[in-house]
């Protein structure tokens, strides 16, 4: 009997070690997801009774201008910040991986600090900077570059640019660390061989670094896509999703429908449809980046 007990303990040990993760995943991810699918077919405003409405919420969603505007806003913000952010991350990572660079530990810390700082605190700082009476307008007016404040947060395109600048500031260091790790894993012998063949630093970067960093760049792009469409804190604090819905992202719209309008069924519909859109975009990006490997 004792031998059977110890054999059972030995065989079930791996499953017991991973059981906490799966229990937490089921309780906080899978079951809420399934419940959201159920709610998407109901008209529920927080009361006890949930009215089953079938596909009515999905029909409303497909004709809802706010939802399509939120997706379009996310695409605009993505195009505004992701190319700039990845380019800056590549430049900083290349500099920090170079042999001539000094104080690399200090610069890594400086670039990574915005990512570990509270996003709420950073958003309020940017709000003070880009407000009509904020620091940036005051500096530009005192320097004589402008005669009246620039409406950074009051006009659609300036508001999108302001949100994009905030996201660039916060996430460039994170992507830089990822790319830096990828660059440092490339064998130095490849660069030495290219140098012997007379290749310049730019050619070595173009023909050695970039091709070998393809998978990591794809990973960073997919993460940036997921992050862009999931933006909430930055646009909510800076602009409350305005002006004229210009910075309303799908998550901001879900928040408004669920916690402000108490339209839980419709908010769940947006969440499910948003999940499907994100999954399709991620698969398309991975196919685009990695299909030729």
């Amino acid at each position: 009997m004792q031998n059977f007990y110890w054999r059972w303990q030995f065989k079930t040990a791996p499953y017991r070690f991973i059981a906490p993760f799966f229990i937490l995943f089921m309780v906080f991810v899978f079951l809420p997801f399934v419940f959201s699918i159920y709610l998407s077919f109901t008209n529920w405003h927080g009361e006890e009774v949930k009215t089953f409405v079938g596909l009515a919420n999905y029909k409303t969603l497909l004709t809802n201008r706010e939802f399509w505007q939120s997706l379009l806003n996310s695409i605009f913000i993505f195009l505004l910040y992701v190319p700039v952010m990845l380019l800056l991350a590549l430049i900083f990572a290349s500099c920090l991986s170079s042999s001539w660079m000094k104080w690399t530990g200090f610069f890594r810390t400086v670039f990574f600090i915005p990512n570990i700082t509270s996003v709420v605190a950073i958003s309020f700082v940017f709000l003070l900077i880009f407000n009509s009476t904020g620091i940036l307008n005051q500096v530009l007016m005192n320097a004589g570059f402008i005669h009246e404040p620039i409406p950074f947060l009051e006009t659609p395109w300036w508001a999108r640019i302001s949100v994009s600048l905030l996201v660039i500031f916060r996430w460039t260091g994170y992507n830089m660390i990822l790319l830096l790790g990828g660059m440092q894993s490339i064998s130095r012998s490849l660069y030495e061989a290219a140098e012997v063949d007379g290749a310049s630093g730019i050619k070595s970067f173009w023909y050695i670094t970039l091709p070998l960093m393809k998978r990591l760049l794809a990973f960073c792009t997919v993460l940036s896509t997921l992050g862009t469409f999931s933006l909430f804190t930055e646009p909510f604090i800076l602009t409350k999703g305005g002006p004229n819905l210009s910075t309303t992202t799908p998550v901001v719209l879900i928040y408004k429908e669920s916690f402000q309008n108490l339209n839980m069924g419709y908010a769940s519909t947006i969440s499910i449809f948003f999940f499907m859109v994100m999954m399709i975009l991620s698969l398309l990006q991975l196919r685009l980046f990695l299909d030729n490997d």
Side-chain angles (χ1 to χ4, degrees), residues 91-108:
I91 293 173
F92 295 152
S94 299
C95 292
L96 291 178
S97 64
S98 301
S99 57
W100 53 266
M101 191 70 183
K102 306 298 182 183
W103 295 6
T104 56
F106 170 76
F107 287 112
R108 289 180 195 176

Side-chain angles (χ1 to χ4, degrees), residues 161-227:
I161 291 173
S162 301
V163 172
S164 300
L165 289 174
L166 171 54
V167 180
I168 289 172
F169 175 78
R170 186 162 183 259
W171 288 103
T172 298
Y174 175 82
N175 287 275
M176 181 206 71
I177 294 297
L178 293 178
L179 296 176
L180 180 60
M183 289 181 183
Q184 291 180 337
S185 66
I186 299 175
S187 175
R188 300 303 304 175
S189 60
L190 296 175
Y191 296 103
E192 293 170 358
E195 187 177 354
V196 170
D197 290 338
S200 64
I202 296 178
K203 286 187 174 181
S204 297
F205 179 80
W206 186 260
Y207 291 105
I208 297 176
T209 305
L210 283 183
L212 294 177
M213 296 279 289
K214 185 178 180 180
R215 288 183 176 273
L216 189 54
L217 284 170
F219 174 74
C220 291
T221 305
V222 171
L223 281 186
S224 300
T225 303
L226 296 174

Side-chain angles (χ1 to χ4, degrees), residues 13 20 48 53 65 116 133 142 150 173 180 192 223 236 253 259:
E48 288 189 18
V53 294
R65 186 183 72 88
I116 60 176
T133 57
N142 292 334
I150 299 175
L180 180 60
E192 293 170 358
L223 281 186
F236 187 76
L253 184 61
F259 296 105

Side-chain angles (χ1 to χ4, degrees), residues 73-89 92 111-127 129-130 153 158-176 220-239 247 249 252:
N73 292 336
S74 297
I75 294 173
F76 286 149
I77 294 173
F78 176 86
L79 295 175
L80 284 172
Y81 96 88
V82 170
V84 176
M85 180 189 67
L86 290 181
L87 179 61
L88 290 175
F92 295 152
F111 284 125
F112 195 69
I113 281 177
N115 184 252
I116 60 176
T117 305
S118 170
V119 62
V120 176
I122 296 177
S123 299
F124 274 111
V125 169
F126 269 72
L127 181 61
I129 293 174
F130 289 105
L153 305 179
W158 276 118
R160 292 181 183 129
I161 291 173
S162 301
V163 172
S164 300
L165 289 174
L166 171 54
V167 180
I168 289 172
F169 175 78
R170 186 162 183 259
W171 288 103
T172 298
Y174 175 82
N175 287 275
M176 181 206 71
C220 291
T221 305
V222 171
L223 281 186
S224 300
T225 303
L226 296 174
T228 302
F229 283 83
S230 302
L231 282 177
F232 173 75
T233 307
E234 295 91 337
F236 187 76
I237 291 179
L238 281 182
T239 61
T247 57
T249 61
V252 173

Side-chain angles (χ1 to χ4, degrees), residues 10 16 36 69 72-74 85 90 101 125 128 151 173 175 178 196 219 221 240 258 270-271 277-278 282 285:
F10 179 77
R16 285 184 280 113
S36 295
Q69 181 66 46
L72 192 62
N73 292 336
S74 297
M85 180 189 67
L90 268 175
M101 191 70 183
V125 169
L128 293 175
N175 287 275
L178 293 178
V196 170
F219 174 74
T221 305
K240 303 295 183 185
S258 57
I270 300 175
S271 302
V277 170
M278 293 307 303
S282 300
Q285 284 186 325

